[in-house]
Amino acid sequence: MDARMETVTGASAYVRGRIGKVMPSVGIVLGSGLGKLADKIENYTEIPYRDIPGFPVSTALGHKGSYIVGTLGGKRVIAMQGRIHFYEGYPMEFVVLPIRVMMDLGIKVLMVSNAAGGTNLSFRVGDLMIIRDHINLMPNALIGPNIDELGPRFPDMTRPYDPALIRLAEQTAAEKGIALRKGVYVANTGPTYETPAEYKYFRLIGGDAVGMSTVPEVIAARHAGLPVFGMSVITNEAHDDYADDYENDGADVVHAADAAASKMTLLFTAMIEKLEI
């Protein structure tokens, strides 16, 4: 067996031993400042990443670093309360390891979220954006020998974000009175925030929002044929005409994400209730 798969199966065996016989059907990734959705999960078991064999530890601001396994929207879910980022110095196989462990546990749907800068000039802080597509400016998570047990050497990425899940989100948001944007997410390595010229470039190539995560996880999930839904919380207006004294601040990003987290929590919970899995 590929050493990377041995790490996956070893980690998932540990998680299985902690959560009992009922495996999760929905995986959720909570981005910067969005961990409060995990507070809505009932009858939960918390598993810190540091306790899982072979697991990296999340060091990013606003990321707690635990799996939360329990019930949300009437479904058994496993949520990542904090993700692993490439900019933390981990190789991509560790960035996507938590996703592969969730898949090994048997999830049927992956829902990912992030805090992002809105390069679209019409976006405002606090907006929720459905990710309809992405532009990847990070190293591809599948570089290296293919793990044949997971998927093909050259996976299709025509529809990285599942159209049926996008329709479900739009329908659910309309019912709940939640306004949504829709756009293209640009994934950059970080950890520096982008320059005004880079923001302009991302907008010119078709990006509506930019961040430092998510796409590696989506690639790993789609490699294995797992349906994905993605959402960005716009935490700063990433334009190219700032005042001379303007500065991007990580704490402000987390605060803005926290302010919008209740809307995203409501939407994700209602969507999960409607999933037929």
Side-chain angles (χ1 to χ4, degrees):
M1 180 185 291
D2 187 291
R4 292 166 294 175
M5 276 305 299
E6 290 180 354
T7 302
V8 170
T9 56
S12 66
Y14 176 83
V15 175
R16 287 175 193 272
R18 292 284 304 273
I19 64 177
K21 295 181 179 180
V22 182
M23 292 298 108
S25 58
V26 180
I28 307 170
V29 183
L30 301 173
S32 300
L34 298 171
K36 68 165 53 175
L37 184 147
D39 297 336
K40 299 297 184 181
I41 298 176
E42 300 174 340
N43 303 314
Y44 69 88
T45 299
E46 180 174 356
I47 307 172
Y49 297 156
R50 64 178 178 271
D51 293 347
I52 304 173
F55 240 62
V57 177
S58 177
T59 65
L61 181 68
H63 290 253
K64 186 173 181 180
S66 294
Y67 276 139
I68 307 294
V69 186
T71 302
L72 182 70
K75 306 287 193 310
R76 184 80 159 162
V77 304
I78 178 168
M80 290 177 61
Q81 197 172 25
R83 56 161 46 94
I84 310 301
H85 298 81
F86 184 65
Y87 65 69
E88 295 174 79
Y90 293 114
M92 275 296 178
E93 67 183 87
F94 286 110
V95 174
V96 301
L97 174 61
I99 303 301
R100 287 173 169 163
V101 169
M102 291 196 290
M103 290 192 291
D104 199 57
L105 293 170
I107 63 169
K108 307 301 181 187
V109 171
L110 179 65
M111 304 176 76
V112 297
S113 66
N114 59 56
T119 57
N120 187 312
L121 297 179
S122 69
F123 285 6
R124 297 293 176 262
V125 172
D127 284 352
L128 299 181
M129 184 193 87
I130 292 174
I131 305 174
R132 65 173 180 82
D133 204 344
H134 66 235
I135 297 171
N136 186 28
L137 300 180
M138 303 173 74
N140 194 291
L142 303 182
I143 290 173
N146 187 54
I147 304 177
D148 295 332
E149 302 98 308
L150 294 179
R153 170 76 284 187
F154 301 108
D156 176 58
M157 292 293 287
T158 307
R159 287 170 290 279
Y161 303 89
D162 189 77
L165 291 174
I166 291 174
R167 290 192 295 270
L168 177 63
E170 292 173 325
Q171 174 191 347
T172 305
E175 293 170 356
K176 300 294 183 182
I178 299 172
L180 294 179
R181 304 282 194 168
K182 188 189 295 185
V184 175
Y185 177 82
V186 179
N188 200 22
T189 63
T192 55
Y193 288 112
E194 295 76 13
T195 69
E198 287 169 335
Y199 284 142
K200 184 175 182 179
Y201 167 67
F202 297 148
R203 188 165 64 250
L204 289 173
I205 64 173
D208 296 289
V210 60
M212 307 171 190
S213 67
T214 303
V215 169
E217 301 154 354
V218 173
I219 289 173
R222 294 303 303 138
H223 179 226
L226 188 70
V228 177
F229 174 76
M231 174 156 282
S232 294
V233 176
I234 304 303
T235 52
N236 57 296
E237 296 173 16
H239 302 164
D240 52 331
D241 56 351
Y242 294 119
D244 289 344
D245 60 350
Y246 179 86
E247 290 186 3
N248 264 319
D249 182 85
D252 291 341
V253 167
V254 172
H255 177 74
D258 183 70
S262 57
K263 291 189 296 181
M264 195 195 76
T265 297
L266 177 62
L267 179 62
F268 273 37
T269 302
M271 288 178 65
I272 290 169
E273 287 177 351
K274 293 180 179 182
L275 289 175
E276 296 180 0
I277 51 177

